[in-house]
Amino acid sequence: SINPYPVHESILHAVRECSLIRYPDSSAFDLREKIAEHEKCSVDEILAVNGTSQGIHLIGEAFLNEKSTVVNVAPAYSQYKSISQLKKSRIIEIQCNIQNDFIPDTDDIIKTLMQENPTILWICNPNNPTGTYLNKFDMIKIEKAAAISNTIVVIDEAYVAFTNKELCYREKSGNILRLNSMSIWLMNGF
């Protein structure tokens, strides 16, 4: 829905050649295998969902409840707040402001993680709607603080394909969940 380019001929060919009389593989194994190969990780680390919004809601269902606290770097995609409210979690918003070009304040994020020990930190990187992003060094500092505060960092990279590839935060960590869109794969010739 956001790809500014025409549908790639290889995709059209695959659709024309596929069998539409069978249900697709519900585990999306072939897709997950290709993504895992590209990301240099295990197939078991990949979950294919119907858009990042479904991923956000699955994460909320798995980890949030009325005793949870979440940190939302705002303004941001409304689904982070929606699932947090649905699960009756306490929401702390760190507001980015125009004076700082809406770039999140890394020190403020880290301070909040250390004081509040939230269950989830939602970060849209690059941000929707502002287009700002945190660099790799800031993400490493946030990840280290999140490990200490036992916080799951959800990095929504749905729009990373529209930025420099160097922005992708690919460090391995047990407390990082990354959300990507098919846009990243289509824009990069996957």
Side-chain angles (χ1 to χ4, degrees):
S1 67
I2 59 170
N3 185 357
Y5 304 107
V7 177
H8 194 274
E9 187 57 42
S10 64
I11 295 172
L12 292 173
H13 176 74
V15 169
R16 290 182 192 118
E17 297 297 317
C18 74
S19 173
L20 297 177
I21 60 171
R22 291 190 176 84
Y23 285 111
D25 172 17
S26 61
S27 74
F29 184 81
D30 291 343
L31 173 64
R32 291 173 40 236
E33 188 173 55
K34 288 275 191 192
I35 293 171
E37 181 181 304
H38 184 269
E39 293 291 326
K40 297 173 182 57
C41 66
S42 162
V43 172
D44 294 334
E45 294 178 67
I46 306 294
L47 176 65
V49 296
N50 294 314
T52 53
S53 290
Q54 183 186 24
I56 291 164
H57 280 263
L58 288 173
I59 291 167
E61 288 294 331
F63 297 107
L64 297 179
N65 60 46
E66 65 279 350
K67 295 178 183 173
S68 303
T69 296
V70 300
V71 174
N72 187 19
V73 181
Y77 185 46
S78 64
Q79 293 302 306
Y80 314 137
K81 193 171 188 177
S82 294
I83 188 60
S84 302
Q85 288 172 328
L86 183 67
K87 299 304 287 181
K88 297 183 167 86
S89 298
R90 180 174 156 244
I91 301 169
I92 299 170
E93 287 196 335
I94 297 175
Q95 289 293 327
C96 300
N97 58 56
I98 196 165
Q99 292 81 7
N100 196 25
D101 293 328
F102 292 102
I103 296 171
D105 183 330
T106 305
D107 292 334
D108 197 17
I109 294 170
I110 291 169
K111 180 178 145 191
T112 304
L113 293 179
M114 302 311 283
Q115 288 177 348
E116 301 293 340
N117 297 315
T119 304
I120 290 179
L121 166 63
W122 301 104
I123 296 181
C124 194
N125 205 40
N127 191 327
N128 171 12
T130 66
T132 59
Y133 56 88
L134 290 168
N135 65 45
K136 231 183 250 191
F137 302 107
D138 287 334
M139 291 303 299
I140 290 168
K141 289 193 289 188
I142 290 168
E143 189 279 326
K144 286 180 181 177
I148 294 168
S149 66
N150 200 29
T151 301
I152 299 165
V153 181
V154 180
I155 306 170
D156 183 348
E157 296 181 335
Y159 295 101
V160 79
F162 299 107
T163 65
N164 182 330
K165 287 182 185 182
E166 299 301 315
L167 293 179
C168 293
Y169 179 74
R170 294 294 183 262
E171 303 298 319
K172 298 278 183 175
S173 174
N175 66 322
I176 299 280
L177 293 174
R178 284 188 304 116
L179 296 166
N180 288 111
S181 169
M182 283 303 293
S183 303
I184 191 172
W185 309 114
L186 296 174
M187 300 280 289
N188 291 313
F190 184 72

